[in-house]
Structures are given as structure tokens and as C-alpha cells.
Amino acid sequence: MQPLFKLSFVFLLLISLQLYAIDNNSHKEEIDFVVAKDGSGDYTSIQEAINGTKSFPYERITIFIKKGTYNEKVKIYQWNPMLTIIGESKEETIIEYNDYFDAVGLGRNSTFHTATLQIDANDCIVKNLTISNSAGPVGQAISLAITSNRVIVENCNINGNQDTVYVTGEGNKQYFKNCYIEGSTDFIFGQATAVFNNCTLHSKSDSYITAASTPKGIGFGLVFINCRLTAATNVGKVCLGRPWRVYAKTVFINCNMGQHILPQGWDDWDKPDSHQKTFYAEYNSTGLGKNITSRVSWSHQLTKEQYKIYTVKNILKTDQDDEWYLKP
């Protein structure tokens, strides 16, 4: 190697290393706390890390969770807005607990105390995690409960049985993207406006996927866009939804439906007045479970004009921020 060429090579190498160091340091600055079970981070518990964050921060706080199974109930309190929780690996960073209705024993509303992860703060982001309620098929047992506004759940596995995902809060808006959600009965339920974009909904038993309780006068309820509806091999009688409350709104757009979806599509939960008050609809369903002509008479197939209002931006826009769901 000639001296001049060697000198140029060394100079370029030094610049590259410097640029790498700058980039690496900037990445580290984005992480405020690290959780690691082996003690190599700032905390060994996710809840401890949340408890250690500043209340009502002016800037976003990010907690990075290293691989491991964290057997704990986790709560993001109302005073912890703008909190981001990122797992190192969707498959290997697991939050797991096993509370269920009878074990909690707090009366008829025990379901709402069972969540493995509960988000009560606005403007939170959860990414690259598995969130699981490991109680098994023992009744109501929530994996993820969101009671707040402008919450993003991205690239997560959410595992459970009955009542896996609870999305709630009148007027609250929530966004699920590229997630896998499994359950048995009513495994996506609640009153919030929530968009599920490019998600897989996996039924583990013959039952119902959704149970919306959309309040009267709210424009959108549960909306599924470009989703895949799959099922366990022994499952063949599943309804798209039933109304937890009579003004329930649930819409499936451009979704691929497996043959486990019953031809009638929807159930009224023995609430005949829901025939006039619910809004259950589809647009461009595909797959063996689409059966458009066999759907119950009180459900809808959206027209092209109706379909135009079902953009993510139009559904999720808020007075504070029209594009909050695009945040990294």
C-alpha cells in the first residue's frame, strides 16, 4: 500500500468511526432508562422504571426493556404521559401476569382489575413487546387495557383468552399497527375509537371477536383496516362482533377473513333494539369467510362514498393533533 493511499485510508476510517460514535451517542440519548432482569440496566422491573420517571414531563421519556420475561402487573399512571416503552425483541421481551375475574374477587366489575399492562396516561407509545395474560381459559382476563387518549401500540403480540384487549374512554382514540392479537371471547372490546391497521386477529375458540360499547353520538368505534382474521384448527364458528352496548360501531375494511367466520357475521347479544342502533359494516372483505350476501340484514356493506371517510387520519384526528398516530 502506498504511503499516500495508506494515509487517506486511515483518515477515512477515523471519520467513519467518529460518525459512528456520534450516531451511537445520539441513540443512547434517546433512551432515558434501561430495564434488564440481569441487573445490567437502570432497573430490573418495568414498574420500578415507570415509578422513577418524572410526572407530567415536558419532553417524551423512553424506557428500553431488554429481552426477558417480566412477571409483573404494569401500570402507566395518568401522570406519566408522553412515555414510550420499547422492547428489545417482540418475541423475547415479554410482560406477563395471570390475574383473572374470580382471582381478583372485587365483585361484578372485577374484569377491569385484571390487566397485565394498563395505560392510563395520554400520548404513550408501546412497541416491540409481547403482552400476555397467562391465566388461561378461566373467564375474563385482560392482557392490555388502555383508558387514555392518543396511544400507539406497534409491532406487539398481545396474548390472552377472554377480553384480551380493552380499549376505552369516551372520545379517546387509540392506534394499533402491525400487531398480533389472540383471544377467545370478546377479545377486543370497549368504548374507545380504535384503529387496528395491518393486524392479525386470531380466534382460539368458537365465539366473538369484538364487543364494542361505543357511546351514542361518537362517529367511529372499532375499525379494522387491512387485517387478517385467522383461527386455531378446531375453530369454525366465530362472529365478527356483538354489541356490549346498543350503539356499538365496528367496521372491517379490506380484511381477509378465514372460513371460521360465520356467514351471518354478527350477533345481537339478545338485544333486538341494537338492530337499529348499532353500526356494523364491512368493505371489500376477502377470503373464505367474507360471505357478503349471507350477513345479517341489519349490518352494512359500505358504499364507495361511505368508504372514503374511513381514512386513518379522519378517524383518529383530535383537536390537539391531527397526525399524532404518525409519531415514531
Side-chain angles (χ1 to χ4, degrees):
M1 183 180 291
Q2 297 298 318
L4 182 60
F5 181 79
K6 185 187 292 185
L7 185 63
S8 300
F9 175 78
V10 171
F11 179 71
L12 289 171
L13 179 62
L14 288 172
I15 290 177
S16 298
L17 289 171
Q18 187 177 15
L19 289 172
Y20 172 81
I22 290 170
D23 181 68
N24 196 42
N25 286 335
S26 65
H27 174 71
K28 286 182 178 178
E29 288 173 4
E30 294 173 358
I31 305 299
D32 297 286
F33 300 106
V34 174
V35 178
K37 290 183 69 66
D38 62 5
S40 61
D42 302 294
Y43 298 93
T44 58
S45 158
I46 301 168
Q47 191 62 59
E48 286 178 355
I50 294 169
N51 293 346
T53 63
K54 183 179 181 180
S55 60
F56 302 109
Y58 291 108
E59 302 291 338
R60 180 164 294 278
I61 295 173
T62 299
I63 297 173
F64 180 78
I65 307 173
K66 289 190 175 182
K67 295 176 184 177
T69 298
Y70 297 82
N71 188 252
E72 56 180 306
K73 284 174 75 77
V74 176
K75 188 170 184 177
I76 302 176
Y77 297 98
Q78 181 263 344
W79 52 86
N80 294 129
M82 293 194 292
L83 180 65
T84 295
I85 293 181
I86 302 177
E88 183 177 5
S89 163
K90 176 176 68 173
E91 289 77 19
E92 297 179 79
T93 307
I94 302 165
I95 308 174
E96 182 176 274
Y97 208 74
N98 61 353
D99 264 351
Y100 60 98
F101 187 97
D102 289 340
V104 169
L106 292 174
R108 65 185 298 167
N109 294 310
S110 293
T111 301
F112 308 110
H113 298 273
T114 63
T116 298
L117 172 60
Q118 180 160 331
I119 303 174
D120 293 340
N122 293 340
D123 300 297
C124 288
I125 300 172
V126 176
K127 298 174 70 173
N128 304 339
L129 293 170
T130 290
I131 304 160
S132 178
N133 190 313
S134 57
V138 291
Q140 298 96 321
I142 297 172
S143 299
L144 173 63
I146 306 175
T147 69
S148 49
N149 200 15
R150 299 182 304 275
V151 174
I152 300 170
V153 182
E154 183 175 353
N155 196 40
C156 288
N157 294 329
I158 311 172
N159 302 331
N161 285 277
Q162 184 172 350
D163 294 351
T164 306
V165 174
Y166 178 42
V167 289
T168 195
E170 185 169 348
N172 284 347
K173 300 197 173 184
Q174 299 150 10
Y175 185 50
F176 291 74
K177 182 180 179 183
N178 300 332
C179 291
Y180 169 88
I181 304 170
E182 68 171 25
S184 55
T185 298
D186 305 335
F187 62 93
I188 300 172
F189 73 114
Q191 68 174 181
T193 293
V195 170
F196 298 79
N197 194 354
N198 196 35
C199 294
T200 296
L201 317 177
H202 186 73
S203 293
K204 298 169 71 174
S205 69
D206 291 337
S207 198
Y208 311 90
I209 296 175
T210 68
S213 56
T214 317
K216 183 179 181 180
I218 297 294
F220 302 95
L222 306 178
V223 182
F224 300 88
I225 302 173
N226 300 326
C227 291
R228 292 179 64 247
L229 280 56
T230 63
T233 54
N234 61 335
V235 173
K237 297 179 180 179
V238 174
C239 278
L240 298 171
R242 59 178 181 171
W244 185 15
R245 295 293 180 266
V246 294
Y247 292 100
K249 291 185 177 180
T250 304
V251 177
F252 288 84
I253 295 173
N254 297 328
C255 291
N256 184 277
M257 301 182 179
Q259 61 183 353
H260 61 291
I261 301 300
L262 286 167
Q264 63 265 31
W266 309 90
D267 184 88
D268 66 7
W269 209 339
D270 296 323
K271 300 171 183 175
D273 54 339
S274 68
H275 294 191
Q276 289 75 44
K277 296 175 180 178
T278 60
F279 188 78
Y280 285 157
E282 299 168 68
Y283 182 82
N284 193 36
S285 295
T286 59
L288 295 176
K290 65 178 183 180
N291 291 309
I292 293 173
T293 58
S294 301
R295 296 295 192 239
V296 294
S297 61
W298 42 277
S299 67
H300 306 271
Q301 296 295 321
L302 297 180
T303 66
K304 287 185 178 180
E305 285 302 309
Q306 290 173 315
Y307 162 71
K308 289 178 182 178
I309 70 170
Y310 283 88
T311 64
V312 175
K313 182 173 183 177
N314 191 47
I315 298 165
L316 294 181
K317 64 184 178 182
T318 68
D319 292 339
Q320 294 85 356
D321 186 349
D322 279 1
E323 296 186 333
W324 60 269
Y325 56 90
L326 296 177
K327 287 184 170 59

